[in-house]
Amino acid sequence: MKDMRISVLVSGGGTDLQSIIDAIEEGRLPRVRICQVIASRPDAYALERAKKHAIPARVLSRKDYEDETALMEALTKMLDEEKTELVVLAGYLQILSGRVLERYAGRIINIHPSLLPKYGGKDCYGMRVHRQVIAAGDKESGATVHYVDEGIDSGRIILQKKVLVYEGDTAEALQQRVLALEHQMLPEAIGIIEKERN
């Protein structure tokens, strides 16, 4: 069987992307190949990570398209061109909609820095999530890998893991622990999906 072709969508530093690259290079994902990295911003450091590992990388910026429909059409075309089998959102801050959701239904996954369904939805991303967890006095947090559907952070959960929230924790300290968890979980979830396709 051929390697599963994945396209990784990013917006920032790309540490989640790096965790996938490392898993492939270390032989933990032997049947997976990153066919391209697509960034929502030209200054995303994730593009440098892709370049260092000779992975094709492209920028798909919202400002280059007249509306969201045109943007999603362009994204679908990019995914199709590389015969993408799985779309991985790794710190991608653009909400997917329309054509791409129809075309890739059941083949898009996202990693979110909370124990969904808690702290999910439109305004729950990045450091905002960790601040909400601390403000609520929660004793645990974590990360969730889930399928993407028409809602926001509402798709079927593939994998979920927890970290403790310590007394006196800052949002920054909690973010670092959750991020370390994300770096284990995202490759693991991709491996689960790759095995299921047999």
Side-chain angles (χ1 to χ4, degrees):
M1 184 181 275
K2 288 184 191 162
D3 290 352
M4 181 172 73
R5 295 173 66 82
I6 69 171
S7 289
V8 184
L9 277 55
V10 296
S11 291
T15 61
D16 282 327
L17 165 66
Q18 189 66 52
S19 74
I20 304 168
I21 293 170
D22 292 346
I24 291 169
E25 292 184 350
E26 290 163 12
R28 288 181 280 128
L29 290 174
R31 314 274 330 162
V32 174
R33 180 178 159 215
I34 302 174
C35 54
Q36 66 182 334
V37 169
I38 301 172
S40 63
R41 296 177 8 215
D43 61 343
Y45 185 71
L47 293 167
E48 289 300 315
R49 294 180 190 273
K51 195 169 156 188
K52 279 181 191 167
H53 295 271
I55 299 165
R58 307 160 93 166
V59 176
L60 183 72
S61 176
R62 171 70 183 86
K63 64 179 173 49
D64 294 334
Y65 295 87
E66 59 182 83
D67 57 26
E68 195 174 325
T69 302
L71 178 72
M72 291 300 131
E73 288 286 351
L75 175 56
T76 303
K77 188 165 179 273
M78 284 183 179
L79 296 172
D80 287 352
E81 282 169 0
E82 289 296 333
K83 299 181 173 59
T84 302
E85 292 171 79
L86 182 69
V87 182
V88 179
L89 309 186
Y92 186 67
L93 299 180
Q94 171 79 40
I95 301 294
L96 299 184
S97 63
R99 177 84 179 114
V100 75
L101 288 182
E102 290 165 20
R103 179 97 172 93
Y104 286 89
R107 294 191 290 151
I108 306 172
I109 66 170
N110 179 50
I111 188 150
H112 184 78
S114 80
L115 297 172
L116 292 175
K118 290 182 90 172
Y119 310 110
K122 194 167 184 232
D123 294 319
C124 287
Y125 59 87
M127 196 61 80
R128 292 178 179 204
V129 175
H130 307 299
R131 288 192 192 109
Q132 288 180 35
V133 170
I134 301 268
D138 288 5
K139 300 291 183 218
E140 59 185 20
S141 187
T144 306
V145 183
H146 64 95
Y147 284 103
V148 174
D149 60 14
E150 293 78 14
I152 300 173
D153 300 326
S154 59
R156 181 167 69 83
I157 290 172
I158 302 161
L159 201 57
Q160 195 166 63
K161 294 191 179 182
K162 297 175 181 177
V163 295
L164 292 175
V165 179
Y166 300 119
E167 198 172 326
D169 246 345
T170 62
E172 290 76 13
L174 180 57
Q175 181 195 40
Q176 288 309 307
R177 289 202 304 285
V178 172
L179 200 54
L181 198 60
E182 288 183 30
H183 296 161
Q184 298 166 29
M185 289 172 65
L186 195 52
E188 186 180 341
I190 292 166
I192 289 167
I193 293 165
E194 193 281 319
K195 285 183 179 68
E196 283 174 353
R197 73 182 185 136
N198 293 337

